[in-house]
Amino acid sequence: MRFLRSLTRGLQVAGYIALSGTELLLKRPPKQEARAEWLHRLCARVVHGLGIEVVVVGDFPGHGAVIANHLSYVDIVIFAAMRPCVFVAKAEIESWPVIGWMTTMAGTVYVERGRGGSAVKARKGLSVAFDDGVPVVFFPEGTTSDGRGLLKFHSGLLAQVLAEDAPVTAAHVSYSLQAENGAGVTVADNVCYWGDMKMWPHVFHFLGLRGVRVEVRFSGEPIVFHDPANRKLAADEARSAVAELREAAQVSKECTIFDSTNVHVR
């Protein structure tokens, strides 16, 4: 049954992408805002079609930057489904099947890890998004993890955001499985995408899961940085803000259901 579910959903998602891709190729929207809106509609369809339950605590900001932990390629789909936004992502994502194409066409700003000056080069893309009034989402851990803790936050990209004088809102993403999916099926291994996992097998297995639930928490106010010029201190303060949301997620049940059919939070 899981194999058939994965196959059926895979064809379903491929249909969404084909339809949305045709729309994008025909309209070729020149502005960042329109491309972000396109990705938003596509991801909302995918979330609804896969039956992913999204619960939200707090408000997705309408401008500035959102800084979050990173667990999976699914994170990108979830954030984009909630509202039009632009992503800053590691350059490797550009070559990922499906996700890479989607994010590239939507104007994602790519950063090459380990390349000096890469974050500085990304500042131009950030500036365009901020000027267009589109929120920018980025993941300062620089890679995905299994969700058991937060990795170190890198400071380079955050420094460029602060140089643009943009407000930075903390967010935290967590997943759970609300239905039985068989022995050995866990969030860490079947939803989170990390380490040396292979993309295609992981995507196929993920599509077969039942009862996927994601909780996204946003801080009530932008992060207050005591010394924005001190990039390492700023990175530590951003990590602490996300860590506070992580702790709150473990004790609170307060949430708002995200309605992917109508593409809004009710």
Side-chain angles (χ1 to χ4, degrees):
M1 287 298 294
R2 188 185 305 168
F3 176 86
L4 291 177
R5 187 160 52 246
S6 294
L7 185 61
T8 301
R9 287 178 173 176
L11 293 173
Q12 185 178 10
V13 171
Y16 293 147
I17 294 172
L19 179 63
S20 296
T22 301
E23 174 191 351
L24 185 67
L25 291 172
L26 291 175
K27 294 184 178 180
R28 295 184 179 276
K31 288 195 173 184
Q32 191 78 280
E33 184 178 9
R35 289 193 169 209
E37 176 65 34
W38 166 81
L39 182 63
H40 168 56
R41 293 194 303 271
L42 169 58
C43 289
R45 292 183 188 119
V46 170
V47 168
H48 176 67
L50 296 182
I52 298 174
E53 181 185 5
V54 182
V55 297
V56 183
V57 179
D59 297 317
F60 198 138
H63 67 286
V66 173
I67 191 169
N69 63 315
H70 199 15
L71 302 177
S72 173
Y73 48 83
V74 185
D75 302 347
I76 297 171
V77 177
I78 297 301
F79 276 111
M82 293 172 63
R83 70 167 302 142
C85 58
V86 170
F87 294 93
V88 181
K90 59 185 181 180
E92 295 96 304
I93 292 180
E94 188 174 8
S95 64
W96 285 7
V98 183
I99 297 295
W101 178 81
M102 287 163 49
T103 55
T104 298
M105 296 303 290
T108 293
V109 178
Y110 291 110
V111 177
E112 295 185 58
R113 292 183 297 172
R115 288 288 298 274
S118 180
V120 176
K121 293 177 182 178
R123 183 172 173 179
K124 181 178 180 181
L126 294 172
S127 181
V128 170
F130 293 146
D131 288 345
D132 285 348
V134 182
V136 174
V137 179
F138 68 104
F139 309 101
E141 291 170 299
T143 188
T144 50
S145 73
D146 61 3
R148 293 188 174 94
L150 294 178
L151 304 179
K152 174 184 176 181
F153 276 24
H154 298 282
S155 61
L157 190 60
L158 176 59
Q160 302 309 313
V161 172
L162 294 177
E164 289 289 319
D165 200 27
V168 181
T169 300
H172 180 266
V173 183
S174 59
Y175 295 90
S176 60
L177 295 173
Q178 303 298 302
E180 178 59 47
N181 284 277
V185 176
T186 65
V187 168
D189 292 329
N190 297 89
V191 179
C192 297
Y193 176 76
W194 57 283
D196 59 356
M197 292 179 173
K198 303 300 182 184
M199 171 62 86
W200 278 117
H202 190 277
V203 171
F204 191 77
H205 290 151
F206 174 79
L207 290 173
L209 295 177
R210 297 183 300 116
V212 176
R213 181 180 188 266
V214 56
E215 177 182 294
V216 183
R217 286 181 169 260
F218 295 96
S219 57
E221 299 291 338
I223 301 171
V224 176
F225 295 99
H226 293 89
D227 184 4
N230 186 332
R231 52 191 285 179
K232 291 187 177 180
L233 174 61
D236 289 341
E237 290 176 334
R239 187 180 184 278
S240 295
V242 175
E244 288 183 11
L245 294 174
R246 173 184 168 83
E247 292 175 4
Q250 297 173 349
V251 298
S252 175
K253 300 300 181 182
E254 177 190 2
C255 63
T256 300
I257 302 298
F258 172 75
D259 186 349
S260 58
T261 304
N262 297 318
V263 194
H264 70 277
V265 178
R266 61 179 182 179

